[in-house]
C-alpha cells in the first residue's frame, strides 16, 4: 500500500471536492483506459507480475494519468512519491533520490511520479538516468505533450511510453452516474442537456466532475435546458496549444482534408483552429502553400484566390475576415488537384544536384562583348517568335546532358490543356530532330 501519513480527525471532517471523493480506489474503477489496464494490457501485465517498469503516460488532461500512477504504487506495495516538474528543480530531485536509496536498503521500492515531466529541461531529465538505470526508483512520468519531441532520447530508451485516450462519451457518462450516486441525487437536467454537459467537458473527466459539482451546488429547482446549463457552468476551453503538437495535428488535418477534396472536413478543422485561438494569418499562409503544392496549374486561380483571401483578412480583421479564409478553404477544397508542379521542382532539384555546374549551351547565352561573340556566345540562336509555330525546338539543356521531363501534368482541370500543349511541342521537337537527321 502507499505509505503516507494518516489523515487527522479534523482532516476527515473537512469538506472534500467531488473529484477527490470520486477518485478510483482500484485500477478496476478507472474508466476509458481498458486498452492499458485490462489483464492482457501493458499495465495489467505489469501489475499481475508485480514488476513495474519505468513508464511515461502520455495523454490529454483529465484522462487519469495521476490516478493510474497512484494506484500502480498501491497495487505493487511501493511508496508513492509525487513530484511536479513545474515546482521542482535538481535540488528536489536529489533529495527524492537520496530518500529512495534509503528505502531501498530497507526493502521498500519507490514509485516516483513526475507530473508535467516535459517541463524539465534536458539537463534535469538527464538526472533521472542513473536512478532509473539501477532501479533506485520506478519512474512514472505524466505528460500532455508528445514525448518524442519533449523528452531526451536517453530517458525515452529507458521508459515504456503508453498513450492514454481522451475519455469517450461512455466513460464520461459513467463518471456522471458515479457523481450522482455520491451525491445521492440526480443532476437536474433536461434529457438533451445531459449529452451537452458531456460534450462541454471535451473528454476531460476532471472538468466534467467539476461541472457536475457546480450544478449540484446551484440547487436548481427544476431540470435545466441547454441554454440554462451553459449559463450555469463554464464550457471547458478546447485543448489546443498553438506552439505544441495540437497546433501541428490540426493544420495537418486541415491540409490533408483539402488534399482529399473533403471540403466539409476542412471547414471543421478550420473552425477547430479558430476556436482554439490560432492566428488566422498562419492559416492563410498555409492555404497559399496548399494552393501551389496540391493544386498548382490544375486550377491556375487557386493561388490568386488564396492570396486574395489572405489580403481580405488583413483588410477586414477578425472576425469578419475569417469568412474570407473560410471562402478560400471552400475554393481550394473543391478545386481540381495536382502536385505536378511540386514533383517537377523536386525532380529538377535532384537533377541539378547530380549534374553540378554544367554551362548552358552557347546559343542561348547573351554576347554583350566582341570576345564573347568570338567564342560563339549566341551563335545559332533562333528567335521563337519568328518561327511559323512560335516554337523553335532548339535545345535548352546543357550540351551533352540528355533531355529530361520533370513536369508531368495530370489529366485534371486546366492541366488537361497543358498536356495537349506539351504533346504538340514534343511533336514539333521530334519533327525537327528527324529533319536534322536527314542527309
Amino acid at each position: 500500500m502507499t505509505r503516507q501519513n494518516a489523515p487527522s480527525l479534523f482532516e476527515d471532517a473537512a469538506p472534500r471536492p467531488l473529484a477527490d471523493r470520486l477518485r478510483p480506489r482500484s485500477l478496476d474503477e478507472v474508466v476509458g483506459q481498458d486498452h492499458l489496464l485490462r489483464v492482457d494490457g501493458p499495465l495489467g501485465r505489469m501489475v499481475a507480475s508485480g514488476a513495474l517498469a519505468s513508464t511515461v503516460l502520455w495523454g490529454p488532461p483529465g484522462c487519469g494519468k495521476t490516478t493510474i500512477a497512484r494506484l500502480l504504487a498501491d497495487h505493487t506495495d511501493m511508496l508513492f512519491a509525487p513530484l511536479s516538474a513545474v515546482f521542482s528543480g535538481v535540488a528536489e530531485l536529489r533529495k527524492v533520490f537520496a530518500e529512495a536509496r534509503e528505502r531501498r536498503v530497507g526493502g521498500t521500492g519507490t514509485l516516483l511520479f513526475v507530473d508535467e515531466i516535459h517541463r524539465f529541461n534536458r539537463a534535469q531529465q538527464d538526472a533521472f538516468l542513473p536512478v532509473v538505470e539501477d532501479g533506485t526508483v520506478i519512474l512514472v512520468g505524466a505528460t500532455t505533450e508528445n514525448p518524442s519531441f519533449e523528452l531526451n532520447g536517453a530517458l525515452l530508451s529507458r521508459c515504456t511510453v503508453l498513450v492514454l485516450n481522451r475519455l469517450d462519451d461512455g466513460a464520461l457518462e459513467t463518471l456522471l452516474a458515479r457523481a450522482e450516486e455520491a451525491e445521492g441525487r440526480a443532476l437536474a437536467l433536461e434529457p438533451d442537456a445531459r449529452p451537452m454537459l458531456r460534450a462541454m467537458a471535451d473528454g476531460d473527466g476532471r472538468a466534467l466532475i467539476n461541472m457536475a459539482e457546480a450544478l449540484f451546488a446551484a440547487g436548481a429547482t427544476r431540470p435545466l435546458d441547454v441554454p440554462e446549463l451553459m449559463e450555469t457552468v463554464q464550457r471547458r476551453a478546447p485543448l489546443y496549444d498553438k506552439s505544441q503538437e495540437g497546433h501541428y495535428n490540426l493544420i495537418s488535418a486541415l491540409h490533408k482534408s483539402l488534399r482529399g477534396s473533403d471540403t466539409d472536413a476542412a471547414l471543421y478543422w478550420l473552425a477547430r483552429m479558430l476556436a482554439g485561438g490560432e492566428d488566422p494569418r498562419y492559416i492563410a499562409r498555409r492555404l497559399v502553400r496548399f494552393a501551389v503544392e496540391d493544386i498548382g496549374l490544375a486550377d491556375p486561380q487557386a493561388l490568386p484566390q488564396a492570396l486574395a483571401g489572405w489580403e481580405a483578412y488583413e483588410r477586414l480583421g477578425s472576425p469578419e475576415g475569417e469568412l474570407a479564409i473560410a471562402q478560400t478553404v471552400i475554393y481550394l477544397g473543391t478545386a481540381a488537384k495536382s502536385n505536378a508542379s511540386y514533383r517537377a521542382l523536386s525532380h529538377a532539384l535532384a537533377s541539378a544536384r547530380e549534374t553540378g555546374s554544367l554551362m548552358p549551351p552557347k546559343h542561348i547565352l547573351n554576347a554583350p562583348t566582341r570576345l564573347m561573340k568570338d567564342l560563339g556566345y549566341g551563335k545559332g540562336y533562333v528567335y521563337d517568335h519568328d518561327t511559323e509555330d512560335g516554337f523553335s525546338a532548339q535545345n535548352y539543356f546543357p550540351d551533352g546532358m540528355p533531355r529530361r521531363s520533370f513536369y508531368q501534368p495530370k489529366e485534371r482541370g486546366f492541366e488537361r490543356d497543358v498536356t495537349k500543349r506539351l504533346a504538340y511541342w514534343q511533336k514539333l521537337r521530334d519533327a525537327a530532330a528527324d529533319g536534322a537527321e536527314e542527309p
Side-chain angles (χ1 to χ4, degrees):
M1 296 295 290
T2 303
R3 295 168 176 82
Q4 295 178 332
N5 294 331
S8 69
L9 295 176
F10 298 105
E11 186 176 348
D12 283 338
R16 295 167 59 203
L18 182 59
D20 187 51
R21 285 185 281 146
L22 293 180
R23 190 180 297 277
R25 295 181 177 84
S26 70
L27 290 171
D28 293 339
E29 296 180 8
V30 176
V31 299
Q33 312 303 337
D34 290 346
H35 64 296
L36 300 179
L37 297 172
R38 63 187 180 221
V39 175
D40 60 343
L43 290 178
R45 291 194 300 269
M46 287 186 198
V47 171
S49 67
L52 291 183
S54 289
T55 303
V56 174
L57 302 177
W58 172 27
C63 66
K65 297 185 292 294
T66 304
T67 295
I68 288 175
R70 187 182 299 274
L71 293 174
L72 287 175
D74 285 348
H75 282 270
T76 53
D77 200 28
M78 302 180 74
L79 184 132
F80 181 73
L83 199 66
S84 171
V86 177
F87 302 109
S88 304
V90 174
E92 288 82 4
L93 290 177
R94 288 173 179 165
K95 180 180 178 181
V96 171
F97 297 158
E99 293 172 348
R101 290 189 183 95
E102 292 178 4
R103 287 190 213 98
R104 192 181 185 192
V105 172
T108 300
T110 300
L111 188 151
L112 174 58
F113 174 68
V114 182
D115 196 18
E116 305 282 353
I117 191 171
H118 61 276
R119 294 187 181 274
F120 276 134
N121 61 38
R122 301 288 174 171
Q124 290 170 323
Q125 291 178 32
D126 285 341
F128 290 104
L129 300 181
V131 293
V132 170
E133 185 77 31
D134 67 12
T136 298
V137 301
I138 297 297
L139 173 65
V140 177
T143 179
T144 56
E145 304 299 334
N146 191 327
S148 300
F149 301 144
E150 303 297 334
L151 300 184
N152 285 355
L155 183 58
L156 280 178
S157 70
R158 291 163 171 81
C159 297
T160 300
V161 176
L162 300 178
V163 181
L164 280 75
N165 294 330
R166 175 182 181 273
L167 297 190
D168 61 19
D169 204 54
L172 293 174
E173 178 57 35
T174 298
L175 293 180
L176 283 183
R178 290 180 183 176
E180 290 172 326
E181 182 180 357
E183 288 289 321
R185 52 187 168 135
L187 287 163
L189 295 173
E190 294 284 353
D192 58 344
R194 192 176 183 93
M196 175 55 70
L197 176 62
R198 297 194 298 269
M200 290 170 68
D202 195 24
D204 186 329
R206 183 169 48 246
L208 179 72
I209 294 172
N210 289 340
M211 287 191 288
E213 185 171 30
L215 287 172
F216 285 128
T221 57
R222 58 176 179 77
L224 305 178
D225 59 19
V226 170
E228 291 168 332
L229 166 66
M230 299 185 73
E231 287 180 7
T232 305
V233 297
Q234 179 67 42
R235 173 187 291 268
R236 180 190 181 280
L239 181 60
Y240 185 76
D241 188 332
K242 291 185 286 182
S243 65
Q244 301 296 334
E245 193 192 19
H247 163 84
Y248 298 107
N249 285 347
L250 266 60
I251 194 60
S252 176
L254 172 59
H255 193 120
K256 289 180 174 65
S257 297
L258 288 172
R259 181 180 291 158
S261 299
D262 192 333
T263 306
D264 292 322
L267 285 169
Y268 170 77
W269 295 118
L270 169 67
R272 282 280 303 276
M273 296 185 79
L274 292 174
E278 182 59 76
D279 184 352
R281 294 176 182 85
Y282 170 77
I283 302 174
R285 182 175 68 82
R286 291 297 296 253
L287 293 177
V288 170
R289 173 192 166 179
F290 179 86
V292 295
E293 179 179 338
D294 287 277
I295 296 177
L297 292 178
D299 186 342
Q301 283 301 309
L303 179 56
Q305 286 284 335
L307 290 170
W310 190 350
E311 176 66 19
Y313 176 81
E314 294 290 357
R315 290 178 178 271
L316 291 174
S318 185
E320 292 86 354
E322 291 167 4
L323 180 58
I325 295 178
Q327 178 175 305
T328 302
V329 166
I330 294 170
Y331 189 96
L332 300 183
T334 55
K337 306 298 189 299
S338 172
N339 68 343
S341 297
Y342 176 81
R343 292 174 63 85
L345 178 59
S346 297
H347 294 324
L349 288 171
S351 181
R353 288 190 291 268
E354 292 170 6
T355 55
S357 303
L358 295 178
M359 282 285 292
K362 287 184 179 179
H363 66 273
I364 64 171
L365 298 179
N366 292 328
T369 68
R370 185 172 189 82
L371 174 61
M372 296 171 78
K373 289 180 181 178
D374 292 342
L375 291 173
Y377 282 38
K379 184 178 181 180
Y381 174 65
V382 178
Y383 188 56
D384 289 78
H385 296 293
D386 290 341
T387 65
E388 181 178 353
D389 296 300
F391 184 82
S392 68
Q394 286 193 299
N395 175 53
Y396 299 99
F397 279 93
D399 291 332
M401 177 180 171
R403 177 174 184 79
R404 299 189 183 180
S405 180
F406 301 124
Y407 177 50
Q408 300 289 333
K410 310 289 185 180
E411 281 293 326
R412 308 191 266 276
F414 179 73
E415 283 194 324
R416 286 197 185 97
D417 296 330
V418 175
T419 300
K420 295 176 183 177
R421 294 180 198 173
L422 293 178
Y424 173 66
W425 288 328
Q426 186 58 45
K427 179 180 177 181
L428 294 179
R429 195 178 287 114
D430 293 341
D434 291 341
E437 291 175 0
E438 293 179 1

